[in-house]
Amino acid sequence: MKKHKIAIMGFGTVGGGTYDILTQNRDHIRSTQGVDIEVKYVLDRSAESLEKRGADKSLFCSDVDALAADKEVELVVETMGGVEPAKTFITKMLRAGKSVVTANKELLAKSWSELEPIAKENGCGLFFEASCVGGVPIVRALGESFQGDKVQSIYGIINGTTNYILSKMSAEGVSYSQALAQAQALGFAEANPTSDVEGYDAAYKLSILGSLAFHTSLPYQSIYREGITRVTAADIVNAKRLGYEIKLLAIGKRCGNDIEARVHPVFVEKNHPLASVSGAFNAVYLHGDFVGDLMFYGAGAGAHPTGSAIVSDIVKALCGKPTYCDFDNNGKLDKSVNLVGDFLSGYYICVTVDDKAGVLSRISTILSDNGVSIKAATQVPSDGNAATVVFLTHPSREHSVMRSLESIGKLASVRNIDSVIRVL
Amino acid sequence: MKKHKIAIMGFGTVGGGTYDILTQNRDHIRSTQGVDIEVKYVLDRSAESLEKRGADKSLFCSDVDALAADKEVELVVETMGGVEPAKTFITKMLRAGKSVVTANKELLAKSWSELEPIAKENGCGLFFEASCVGGVPIVRALGESFQGDKVQSIYGIINGTTNYILSKMSAEGVSYSQALAQAQALGFAEANPTSDVEGYDAAYKLSILGSLAFHTSLPYQSIYREGITRVTAADIVNAKRLGYEIKLLAIGKRCGNDIEARVHPVFVEKNHPLASVSGAFNAVYLHGDFVGDLMFYGAGAGAHPTGSAIVSDIVKALCGKPTYCDFDNNGKLDKSVNLVGDFLSGYYICVTVDDKAGVLSRISTILSDNGVSIKAATQVPSDGNAATVVFLTHPSREHSVMRSLESIGKLASVRNIDSVIRVL
């Protein structure tokens, strides 16, 4: 059996997890897949990271050009994260004809259209199952299943940190900042949580998954993005009272030839399969015009789930021919679709008003004048002659709701627009 | 773009659904997958079935040998179901070098090891995503993901009919026979429901999925099989009271090198993701040693979901090279595993006894003497000086529980062993 030599660039959590699998299950992979995979180099800043994970120090390598020049190395795993130097390093490897397996959603979302042509030119592949939803094979599914379907929508809980925080808020009634602090203490959130809590991470992944689902290039910059930092304990209470859970969803939706792409908190009905996806778990809920509704559920991150996806890509890369998405060629691109910023959605709106006659009626009139139809409304007194008004609307145009809110905010009797959260 | 000509053998629900997709989404498939697929023949008993589904009568063909001899036809879809004549027809197509895409779990479970070598000899492929769990790409996932993992367990709700019946019993408190009658009236169960309700269908699918998951040949005859016909309304009530739902599960479990494979009703804890899979929906819950827990959820049957899986296989077959499982060769078989009949499980046991002192104690003693430890027990009076005793046991050996029940059944004060259902 041929021995395939590979290298790992970046030996943090995911690089180390990949190494664990390749060493601990090497015999199993050899006997069931017919490939023998040996890690020849681990590229990192110092040999210490190797020692920490129990890897042999002799694998240590710090010279990326020497790595690229080593003809024995067939394939390179990139688990450094971030754009640079990952992009430069990957480019070197692809130019040297080595296939690259990456978990780097940020780089992929930003530079897929540059990197794929380099891979193609050099007859090697760029594999990225691990970039989205950890060990859940959703990239494979979108790329290699449903070829007969027009995917109509994907709804994803694809960021574990925010799902952990929202689940904590829902289960324990704590505030956003308390839940964040707990998540940080347990390692579910980073010291600087911006990329997760502001929805950047989810937008990168939606860019990748949406591009695959809709056969088009879905630039991450075009994705509407709103994080969870403004979700309050009161919103969670209101949601529960109305029969919902609040989730940060990544939404890609096809309406005729229009595609919407957005990341924001969403009221999800309690009996929807996504509502019970809690803690750091992830899920992608998909609707195809023929296959109907499907859900993929699993650990969205972590050394071993993500490492599992990487090893799967390594085996795929070593055993078969690379395939390409060709979104920027004219090959397999669905040119009929276009990205739109307006969309239909239900809305939860929470407003603090003066507790006096006529306020509810004035707000309702504004909504109605803008074509926004109310499904449910409650008004309860709060402190200091104020009242809290909660609306749920029927599906309405985003633009109409935003126009309404502008007018509502200008009403003398409206003290504050506390929250606006879309409804699935 | 090359036009690929294919044929469909069997034009019932699934064959017709496949045809719908290939015609309605032909342009979409062409533009996004780069393949143009044309149905040249539909093989069926009469042309009437074509007319019923709006297919052109000119496609009708009744001569399987003429079809096999037509060199223009690259690939054949088999949606006839059953063993014969499907097996003979598929064999003819494979021998003629045509790849076959099939939804036929019974045939596959019974004849995979005969058919795959014929495909291999003739340089063509045998594709069967549609044979298990409709449009959910679980065959792909088990074959082409998790290559780095040892799959430890799969738990599947993989029969829509029984899940529909059990969901109905749970939601409405009706009896098994009432729920079956409703399922038959709505087309969720066949006039002769044996294959579904006795667990044959699930066992066929488990044979296929388990073989893929554990890289071994898992003969369907070796699978322990028990249907849902003995599940009573009282069992459902007891399950709910104890915090469970009853589901028909197909279970494949690896314990070291031992594999258990069984299909039977199971108490599933209410907060387990499988507990909320209801109606005709299916799901497969999987645990890999590195990837952790995953669930795949979707429509398990129906013309279009199953057709979607077939079209996916058609595209795969036309665009790539076939791969083989080689379970009966020495190629990629995991020879370390062996199938075992004894296993650990919790048990729900419901017994009708004489309502007098000492009965509960005698039963408990028998269980204890056989090493079966009781987790919970309740005794409530029922009619005519009788009482109903319900036990939940801690995980115990199947053989020990069966031995205990034999002794319990012989006790003079035990009127009947009403139910024995395993607990997940």
Side-chain angles (χ1 to χ4, degrees), chain A residues 23 32 79 155 164 182 185 206 231 257 285 311-312 316 371-372 390:
Chain A
T23 45
T32 59
T79 43
Y155 298 110
Y164 180 87
Q182 288 184 33
L206 178 58
V231 176
N257 288 329
Y285 196 89
V311 173
S312 175
K316 185 181 153 108
V372 178
V390 170

Side-chain angles (χ1 to χ4, degrees), chain B residues 245-314:
Chain B
E245 290 285 344
I246 300 179
K247 295 290 180 189
L248 182 73
L249 292 193
I251 298 176
K253 231 170 135 181
R254 182 185 184 116
C255 188
N257 287 330
D258 291 345
I259 303 281
E260 322 159 9
R262 41 199 173 100
V263 171
H264 53 68
V266 177
F267 271 42
V268 179
E269 271 187 66
K270 278 219 171 97
N271 59 2
H272 191 287
L274 286 171
S276 44
V277 175
S278 61
F281 274 93
N282 279 196
V284 176
Y285 196 87
L286 177 149
H287 183 83
D289 55 352
F290 285 104
V291 77
D293 290 322
L294 292 169
M295 190 170 82
F296 298 79
Y297 165 96
H304 289 154
T306 309
S308 168
I310 289 175
V311 173
S312 175
D313 269 352
I314 295 172

Side-chain angles (χ1 to χ4, degrees), chain B residues 79-324:
Chain B
T79 42
M80 307 161 67
V83 173
E84 284 295 354
K87 186 176 173 184
T88 303
F89 287 11
I90 287 179
T91 304
K92 282 179 197 281
M93 298 306 149
L94 294 174
R95 289 207 192 285
K98 301 183 199 310
S99 284
V100 170
V101 172
T102 178
N104 196 329
K105 53 249 169 197
E106 183 181 356
L107 175 59
L108 211 62
K110 292 181 175 169
S111 307
W112 192 354
S113 60
E114 285 174 71
L115 294 173
E116 186 176 284
I118 301 173
K120 205 172 171 183
E121 270 167 46
N122 291 281
C124 53
L126 179 65
F127 298 84
F128 50 88
E129 180 64 74
S131 67
C132 298
V133 204
V136 178
I138 185 68
V139 168
R140 288 271 200 294
L142 289 172
E144 298 167 30
S145 293
F146 323 126
Q147 297 98 325
D149 280 77
K150 278 185 188 156
V151 172
Q152 299 298 309
S153 57
I154 52 174
Y155 298 110
I157 295 175
I158 54 180
N159 178 272
T161 304
T162 48
N163 202 48
Y164 179 88
I165 292 172
L166 292 171
S167 301
K168 203 88 190 161
M169 288 173 75
S170 172
E172 300 175 13
V174 296
S175 70
Y176 165 75
S177 50
Q178 285 170 310
L180 171 63
Q182 286 184 36
Q184 286 171 320
L186 291 167
F188 287 117
E190 301 194 35
N192 176 355
T194 307
S195 175
D196 293 314
V197 300
E198 294 294 2
Y200 289 98
D201 177 80
Y204 296 145
K205 293 170 182 165
L206 179 59
S207 159
I208 298 166
L209 297 177
S211 297
L212 293 169
F214 302 120
H215 303 279
T216 189
S217 174
L218 196 70
Y220 78 96
Q221 307 95 321
S222 320
I223 295 171
Y224 174 83
R225 183 189 46 71
E226 185 186 313
I228 63 162
T229 55
R230 286 180 294 170
V231 176
T232 65
D235 294 331
I236 303 260
V237 170
N238 287 330
K240 287 196 169 183
R241 186 174 49 79
L242 293 160
Y244 297 87
E245 290 285 344
I246 300 179
K247 295 290 180 189
L248 182 73
L249 292 193
I251 298 176
K253 231 170 135 181
R254 182 185 184 116
C255 188
N257 287 330
D258 291 345
I259 303 281
E260 322 159 9
R262 41 199 173 100
V263 171
H264 53 68
V266 177
F267 271 42
V268 179
E269 271 187 66
K270 278 219 171 97
N271 59 2
H272 191 287
L274 286 171
S276 44
V277 175
S278 61
F281 274 93
N282 279 196
V284 176
Y285 196 87
L286 177 149
H287 183 83
D289 55 352
F290 285 104
V291 77
D293 290 322
L294 292 169
M295 190 170 82
F296 298 79
Y297 165 96
H304 289 154
T306 309
S308 168
I310 289 175
V311 173
S312 175
D313 269 352
I314 295 172
V315 172
K316 185 181 154 109
L318 295 175
C319 294
K321 277 207 267 184
T323 55
Y324 307 100

Side-chain angles (χ1 to χ4, degrees), chain A residues 154-423:
Chain A
I154 51 174
Y155 298 110
I157 295 176
I158 55 180
N159 178 271
T161 304
T162 48
N163 202 48
Y164 180 87
I165 293 171
L166 292 171
S167 301
K168 201 89 191 162
M169 290 173 74
S170 172
E172 300 174 12
V174 297
S175 72
Y176 165 74
S177 49
Q178 286 170 309
L180 171 62
Q182 288 184 33
Q184 285 171 320
L186 291 168
F188 288 117
E190 299 194 35
N192 177 353
T194 307
S195 174
D196 292 316
V197 299
E198 294 294 1
Y200 290 98
D201 176 80
Y204 297 146
K205 292 170 182 166
L206 178 58
S207 158
I208 298 166
L209 297 178
S211 297
L212 292 169
F214 303 119
H215 301 279
T216 187
S217 174
L218 195 70
Y220 77 98
Q221 309 94 320
S222 318
I223 294 171
Y224 173 84
R225 184 189 46 70
E226 186 187 313
I228 63 162
T229 57
R230 288 180 293 172
V231 176
T232 67
D235 293 332
I236 304 260
V237 170
N238 286 330
K240 285 195 169 186
R241 187 175 46 79
L242 293 159
Y244 296 87
E245 290 285 343
I246 301 179
K247 296 290 179 190
L248 182 74
L249 291 194
I251 298 176
K253 230 168 134 181
R254 182 184 185 118
C255 189
N257 288 329
D258 291 344
I259 303 282
E260 320 159 10
R262 41 197 173 101
V263 170
H264 54 67
V266 177
F267 271 42
V268 179
E269 272 187 66
K270 278 220 172 95
N271 60 2
H272 192 286
L274 285 171
S276 44
V277 175
S278 62
F281 273 92
N282 278 196
V284 175
Y285 196 89
L286 178 149
H287 184 84
D289 54 352
F290 285 105
V291 77
D293 290 323
L294 291 170
M295 190 170 81
F296 298 78
Y297 165 95
H304 289 154
T306 309
S308 167
I310 289 176
V311 173
S312 175
D313 268 353
I314 295 172
V315 171
K316 185 181 153 108
L318 295 175
C319 295
K321 277 207 268 183
T323 54
Y324 307 100
C325 296
D326 282 331
F327 293 137
D328 290 294
N329 265 306
N330 293 320
K332 292 184 279 182
L333 175 66
D334 187 344
K335 281 191 286 192
S336 64
V337 298
N338 57 292
L339 205 62
V340 295
D342 195 14
F343 51 84
L344 270 178
S345 173
Y347 290 78
Y348 151 86
I349 300 166
C350 181
V351 190
T352 301
V353 300
D354 294 338
D355 192 3
K356 57 186 185 191
V359 182
L360 191 58
S361 141
R362 275 194 288 279
I363 297 178
S364 307
T365 305
I366 291 175
L367 288 169
S368 158
D369 286 351
N370 283 285
V372 178
S373 157
I374 295 167
K375 187 178 172 187
T378 56
Q379 174 165 349
V380 289
S382 55
D383 300 336
N385 299 323
T388 302
V389 182
V390 170
F391 291 100
L392 275 189
T393 78
H394 284 291
S396 310
R397 286 262 142 223
E398 166 92 358
H399 288 177
S400 310
V401 174
M402 293 305 145
R403 236 188 348 258
S404 309
L405 289 170
E406 225 172 277
S407 308
I408 291 167
K410 287 178 190 155
L411 289 175
S413 45
V414 168
R415 300 191 185 179
N416 189 42
I417 296 175
D418 303 328
S419 297
V420 181
I421 299 180
R422 295 165 190 86
V423 179

